[in-house]
Amino acid sequence: MKKILVIEDDRFLSRIYSTKLAREGYEVILATEGNEAMGKLKNCRPDLILLDLVLPGRSGFEILAEIKGVKELVEIPVIILSNLGQQEDLDRGKKLGAADYLVKVNFGINEVVTKIKQYLV
Amino acid sequence: MTLWLLIWFLYYQKKRKEEFSELLKEEIGKTALEREKFEMIINSISEGLYVLDKDGRFVYFNQAAEQLLGLTAEKVLGRMDCEIINCRDDQDNKLCYPGNCPLSLSWKESKTKFYPVLYFNRADGAVFPVSLMVSPVMGRSGPAIGVFLFRDITRELEIDRAKSSFISVASHQMRTPLNALRWILEMIINGELGKVNPKQKDFISDAYESTIGLTKLINDLLGVSRVDAGKFKLKKEPVDIKKLFDQVVFELSYLTRARNVTVENQINDCPPVVADSEWIKQVITNLTDNAIKYNRPKGNVLISNQIKGAQVVFTIADTGIGIPVDQQNKIFEKFYRAENAIALQTGGTGLGLYIVKPIIEAAGGKIWFKSALNQGTTFYFTLPLAKI
């Protein structure tokens, strides 16, 4: 079963990801901020990471940079799922190595799942 | 007799000389007064003003320039431009006389040049942003002097950054709870959280559509606030426009299903155009959203493109309700919605087209439309081809 690490601090959205992705047959690991996420990454290697940007403590950009700096984690595709939608945010995400950047408000949940599946074939 | 003539001549010459001396003193006095007036006026302005000669050396430096740069005119006059001012653009390129100096460029084009944002340094090394105007003065045999007028825009840039930050934070804070609501409703409608009876599904679908409408409203309001606030700096870079159209059609698929409309995307083999992808995506979204929203059930939207010279013409055609002829001239006004659109109760804001027109025009394109009541509307817009 493929594993997805979801780094999201909004509890409603976390619950939605958890429910939806489980229904789609994925194992979901949740983290609400950077330290928790990096802790979980030490113990397991997910097949994909869903990353919010506005998080308590370190931002999603900082966490992404840290993930891409770890040899064992660099190949894991990271999809940024955020409501920060200005071009400089998209550019920064891509520059830091995000596989994709989805502005949440522009997608239905099923469309998000379709995008995720593209990176888990 | 001769002696008398001689005496008279000498006396006359002396008188002439005295009169001339008086006149000269008077003129010198007037000139000094004019110069004093000139100095008072130039030194009363809060903008820095300095003048370079044709060799790029300082020949004048007003008091405001002294204060803004932390230098005295005494230390500056006669020295070269680049010895004193480390002028850089926003890409950190040094602008130095004669090369890429603003003065060289303004002499070459024989016109005043305006630079909205450059960076100067004070004598203590501190860098600060300025807006700069350079006016060339031509002499009989070519460039004579250049007049530089600049002001410190630190405060204005801070306000701009604060506005941009507010827009970014506000958009995020409004969108997050709306996202959760929308996705939960979507899952309920799809039966993923348990069975719902048809009546429940109907009402929940209404709630879902309301969240879509609210999302569009937030997007439009934020777009309008950025347009109105002048946060509207379009990048001009090659853009894969087919990719943007594909993304928009994908993102609006929920609306296409809800309205039972078919969207045919015939954008193919389109070379890159010069645009700002974020803003142009908003244009495509607003036009396509309208084409779907104001369509009839089982209607069609056709998206296509055609290359005409150095421009690409994009077409978004629908088979919808059309725009009444007597209301077509207002369609790009803020908050304006045609009467038949209001009657359809789609929850539109009247902001979508208001944003679209300035974006396309700022990108160097044009936008226009053809429409007839109950016979559909076709919007056209152009964008310049990217030179390869």
Side-chain angles (χ1 to χ4, degrees):
Chain A
M1 192 187 269
K2 301 252 185 195
K3 289 183 204 161
I4 300 176
L5 170 63
V6 176
I7 310 173
E8 168 63 69
D9 66 318
D10 183 279
R11 64 189 176 96
F12 300 118
L13 291 175
S14 267
R15 198 169 159 203
I16 292 167
Y17 292 137
S18 193
T19 308
K20 182 69 177 177
L21 293 172
R23 283 181 70 86
E24 296 291 332
Y26 301 110
E27 183 185 332
V28 180
I29 306 156
L30 296 174
T32 59
E33 48 81 38
N35 290 338
E36 188 185 356
M38 296 313 291
K40 297 212 169 165
L41 283 167
K42 279 188 183 138
N43 299 321
C44 85
R45 211 200 120 138
D47 298 283
L48 183 121
I49 299 172
L50 285 185
L51 174 64
D52 189 18
L53 290 178
V54 178
L55 293 164
R58 285 180 291 160
S59 73
F61 288 125
E62 289 168 300
I63 297 166
L64 176 57
E66 191 175 341
I67 289 170
K68 291 299 174 185
V70 176
K71 202 173 98 182
E72 293 78 19
L73 304 176
V74 73
E75 294 298 324
I76 303 175
V78 179
I79 296 178
I80 291 176
L81 253 182
S82 173
N83 275 324
L84 290 181
Q86 298 205 44
Q87 190 59 43
E88 48 257 40
D89 302 312
L90 272 75
D91 291 342
R92 193 176 169 194
K94 287 282 166 80
K95 202 172 171 188
L96 287 169
D100 213 330
Y101 189 126
L102 307 181
V103 180
K104 279 185 269 203
V105 77
N106 293 336
F107 291 86
I109 188 65
N110 287 329
E111 281 136 13
V112 170
V113 170
T114 305
K115 279 283 185 181
I116 287 169
K117 284 179 176 173
Q118 285 172 9
Y119 291 95
L120 286 173
V121 287
Chain B
M1 184 67 174
T2 313
L3 184 61
W4 280 113
L5 272 172
L6 185 62
I7 293 169
W8 175 85
F9 180 73
L10 288 171
Y11 173 74
Y12 178 71
Q13 285 297 317
K14 186 179 170 217
K15 276 307 264 187
R16 280 286 304 269
K17 202 172 163 185
E18 281 169 3
E19 277 170 15
F20 182 72
S21 227
E22 283 300 315
L23 207 61
L24 193 60
K25 273 189 201 162
E26 205 180 303
E27 286 306 310
I28 289 172
K30 272 187 199 167
T31 305
L33 197 62
E34 286 304 309
R35 189 180 167 87
E36 213 176 291
K37 258 196 234 170
F38 169 78
E39 289 281 350
M40 266 176 59
I41 292 168
I42 294 297
N43 285 322
S44 72
I45 62 174
S46 57
E47 283 82 359
L49 186 148
Y50 61 88
V51 178
L52 299 183
D53 67 12
K54 62 180 177 55
D55 298 318
R57 293 185 188 278
F58 287 94
V59 295
Y60 186 80
F61 207 71
N62 79 341
Q63 278 178 9
E66 288 180 329
Q67 280 157 16
L68 287 167
L69 292 167
L71 294 160
T72 58
E74 210 173 58
K75 284 189 179 160
V76 158
L77 295 179
R79 291 180 67 184
M80 290 292 292
D81 164 36
C82 283
E83 286 174 14
I84 305 295
I85 297 178
N86 181 14
C87 175
R88 289 185 179 269
D89 63 18
D90 57 6
Q91 306 295 317
D92 207 31
N93 299 310
K94 188 164 169 134
L95 306 183
C96 200
Y97 185 83
N100 56 355
C101 166
L103 180 57
S104 307
L105 297 172
S106 78
W107 272 337
K108 195 172 161 190
E109 295 170 34
S110 296
K111 63 179 184 182
T112 297
K113 289 190 76 71
F114 176 66
Y115 297 82
V117 183
L118 290 175
Y119 295 86
F120 281 2
N121 59 294
R122 283 184 243 280
D124 62 6
V127 175
F128 66 104
V130 299
S131 68
L132 173 70
M133 192 174 315
V134 182
S135 302
V137 178
M138 308 300 277
R140 281 196 199 125
S141 53
I145 57 171
V147 180
F148 289 67
L149 190 69
F150 69 96
R151 61 189 181 82
D152 185 339
I153 56 168
T154 305
R155 184 83 187 114
E156 281 159 54
L157 288 191
E158 275 170 6
I159 290 170
D160 267 355
R161 273 192 284 268
K163 272 187 203 165
S164 185
S165 175
F166 168 74
I167 286 167
S168 186
V169 167
S171 73
H172 181 269
Q173 297 300 86
M174 284 194 278
R175 284 165 167 172
T176 299
L178 204 46
N179 246 121
L181 187 56
R182 179 180 156 185
W183 287 351
I184 289 169
L185 291 172
E186 197 179 320
M187 287 168 73
I188 294 173
I189 291 166
N190 293 336
E192 293 178 56
L193 300 176
K195 243 178 150 173
V196 283
N197 65 43
K199 194 171 180 182
Q200 287 171 332
K201 191 169 177 179
D202 204 19
F203 276 97
I204 293 166
S205 297
D206 285 351
Y208 177 77
E209 268 204 40
S210 292
T211 66
I212 303 292
L214 199 48
T215 303
K216 177 95 183 15
L217 174 62
I218 291 170
N219 285 344
D220 286 346
L221 283 171
L222 289 167
V224 165
S225 73
R226 287 170 75 189
V227 166
D228 286 351
K231 283 304 296 174
F232 193 3
K233 291 171 189 140
L234 290 195
K235 285 189 252 183
K236 290 195 175 180
E237 55 192 10
V239 167
D240 179 355
I241 196 94
K242 174 174 165 32
K243 194 173 162 189
L244 291 183
F245 272 102
D246 289 345
Q247 279 174 359
V248 167
V249 169
F250 176 70
E251 286 165 13
L252 290 177
S253 51
Y254 73 91
L255 188 62
T256 312
R257 284 191 300 273
R259 290 274 189 262
N260 194 15
V261 164
T262 306
V263 175
E264 205 180 324
N265 182 2
Q266 289 186 355
I267 302 285
N268 283 311
D269 296 327
C270 184
V273 294
V274 177
D276 180 308
S277 53
E278 183 194 345
W279 283 104
I280 290 304
K281 190 176 171 190
Q282 179 135 23
V283 167
I284 297 169
T285 301
N286 288 4
L287 293 176
T288 311
D289 183 275
N290 281 353
I292 299 169
K293 207 159 56 190
Y294 297 116
N295 220 316
R296 50 182 170 77
K298 296 187 184 173
N300 295 302
V301 176
L302 177 63
I303 300 170
S304 58
N305 67 296
Q306 196 180 11
I307 298 174
K308 284 200 171 166
Q311 302 266 326
V312 184
V313 182
F314 298 95
T315 305
I316 300 175
D318 67 62
T319 53
I321 60 174
I323 308 166
V325 167
D326 61 336
Q327 294 168 46
Q328 289 183 8
N329 61 336
K330 295 184 195 169
I331 215 71
F332 290 111
E333 285 177 14
K334 199 172 179 179
F335 296 121
Y336 185 80
R337 297 183 69 214
E339 283 162 16
N340 58 340
I342 297 169
L344 207 60
Q345 296 187 343
T346 59
T349 59
L351 294 173
L353 292 179
Y354 171 71
I355 302 165
V356 152
K357 192 162 189 273
I359 294 172
I360 291 293
E361 288 173 353
K366 286 182 191 163
I367 180 162
W368 68 99
F369 64 92
K370 287 180 185 163
S371 186
L373 194 61
N374 297 322
Q375 291 177 45
T377 302
T378 301
F379 270 90
Y380 306 87
F381 68 91
T382 63
L383 289 171
L385 276 167
K387 286 175 192 156
I388 299 162

